[in-house]
Amino acid sequence: LYFSAQEGILFFYHIKDLQYEMKICADILQPISSLMFSPDYTILLLVTGQGTVYTYKPAHCGEAVKLLDARSSFFLAADFLSPGNKYCVSVTIAGEVQVWFLEDGTCISKLNLDIEVHI
């Protein structure tokens, strides 16, 4: 079970029977607003309330890596494009939908909806 706290800490709970073990996986120093696993569960996207998107690879137990940083408006949400886990799509508060290459954070495509977006 992965979850985040207000302080921007990503936690992992390993639960077996009536026993559990808690581990701190990453501390990104920004409140995390959403978590999304890739379709094959190898990458976790972390979207912050300040509009930054991080990737975290649970199998590697490393730090979260900043993928995208808000420039003109905050990222509201992000998700993986299926099938596979090479690309993600994001939407900003300003209504810009973007497709990103996860390996290096390159913007592949964008579309402006010309409306403000709310979740």
Side-chain angles (χ1 to χ4, degrees):
L1 171 67
Y2 285 90
F3 75 96
S4 65
Q6 281 295 101
E7 300 82 25
I9 300 172
L10 177 65
F11 292 96
F12 171 70
Y13 269 90
H14 181 257
I15 303 168
K16 184 175 181 179
D17 299 323
L18 297 176
Q19 304 279 334
Y20 72 90
E21 178 184 348
M22 183 187 77
K23 176 182 170 187
I24 295 175
C25 298
D27 185 356
I28 59 173
L29 305 172
Q30 296 178 30
I32 299 169
S33 59
S34 66
L35 306 170
M36 183 61 62
F37 263 108
S38 63
D40 63 0
Y41 296 97
T42 59
I43 303 172
L44 186 61
L45 283 182
L46 312 171
V47 181
T48 72
Q50 295 179 3
T52 308
V53 178
Y54 291 82
T55 58
Y56 177 77
K57 295 182 178 180
H60 297 113
C61 297
E63 284 296 311
V65 177
K66 186 185 291 186
L67 177 67
L68 312 170
D69 203 351
R71 290 183 179 91
S72 60
S73 66
F74 292 117
F75 290 110
L76 204 53
D79 199 353
F80 289 88
L81 287 176
S82 295
N85 57 358
K86 290 184 177 189
Y87 304 96
C88 75
V89 62
S90 66
V91 64
T92 66
I93 293 170
E96 189 171 79
V97 177
Q98 299 168 321
V99 176
W100 303 91
F101 184 53
L102 284 172
E103 190 171 304
D104 61 5
T106 303
C107 181
I108 305 296
S109 178
K110 63 174 90 174
L111 170 69
N112 194 331
L113 301 176
D114 292 323
I115 59 168
E116 191 171 302
V117 177
H118 302 276
I119 292 184

